Amino acid sequence: MNSFYKVIGYLKDQLSNDIDINTVVHGEAPENKKDLFPLAHLMVTNGALGQGVSIFTFTVQVLDIRNVSKKASTNKFLKNDNELDNLNTCFAVLSRLITDLKLQRNDLDIELLNEPSLIPVIYEFKDTLDGWTTELQLSITNNVSVC
């Protein structure tokens, strides 16, 4: 039974193929300036068995590093950093991923079970990252035989 590998591999592939993603990682919070940003971070948070399916819940974060200009800004709304650019790009990545999960059939029959909410991540971790986080509940047919 390798349904977990299929689901996390599918998510990794979808995110790796996104035009705006440079790195996909899993596990602990991303805190490595050597990673190429924007970055997608996957973390499994739950697993369950349904009737004929395995269900996995993942937290997915898409983050980019905050760049702050040394030049003072006179624009109080835009400030002197790329926070809004980061939020826009990272939102677009998650939007494409969720739309694909909702609308496109895949060879593995992975289905999105929830209606994901996107929560902003602003100036987080020691690397000052901005982006969005969401929770995806995905199901995949399990081929468990009781015989």
Side-chain angles (χ1 to χ4, degrees):
M1 184 165 156
N2 58 0
S3 55
F4 174 76
Y5 281 121
K6 287 179 181 179
V7 174
I8 198 166
Y10 178 79
L11 286 175
K12 178 192 174 289
D13 291 345
Q14 290 296 106
L15 289 162
S16 294
N17 291 330
D18 190 286
I19 191 167
D20 289 321
I21 293 294
N22 289 316
T23 306
V24 179
V25 298
H26 74 89
E28 295 297 319
E31 291 190 14
N32 187 351
K33 281 196 181 226
K34 293 179 184 174
D35 288 326
L36 294 176
F37 288 86
L39 171 144
H41 174 245
L42 303 172
M43 189 167 68
V44 65
T45 58
N46 196 11
L49 294 173
Q51 193 161 1
V53 296
S54 297
I55 301 167
F56 300 101
T57 304
F58 289 88
T59 297
V60 181
Q61 292 181 314
V62 177
L63 305 164
D64 203 352
I65 198 158
R66 172 91 59 102
N67 295 319
V68 179
S69 173
K70 292 184 179 164
K71 283 177 69 176
S73 174
T74 58
N75 188 323
K76 292 185 181 196
F77 184 77
L78 293 178
K79 303 177 190 170
N80 66 337
D81 60 31
N82 66 336
E83 174 189 354
L84 297 179
D85 294 331
N86 289 351
L87 290 172
N88 182 63
T89 300
C90 296
F91 189 91
V93 170
L94 284 175
S95 179
R96 288 188 291 268
L97 175 65
I98 292 166
T99 300
D100 284 349
L101 284 165
K102 284 182 177 181
L103 300 180
Q104 291 187 0
R105 297 293 296 166
N106 56 71
D107 294 338
L108 300 172
D109 278 336
I110 295 170
E111 293 186 30
L112 180 65
L113 299 180
N114 66 327
E115 195 63 43
S117 295
L118 280 64
I119 301 165
V121 176
I122 300 191
Y123 223 58
E124 289 283 323
F125 311 111
K126 69 179 182 181
D127 285 342
T128 58
L129 304 175
D130 302 308
W132 296 86
T133 186
T134 192
E135 194 171 83
L136 303 177
Q137 188 178 50
L138 304 171
S139 71
I140 186 171
T141 302
N142 65 25
N143 297 319
V144 177
S145 174
V146 291
C147 297

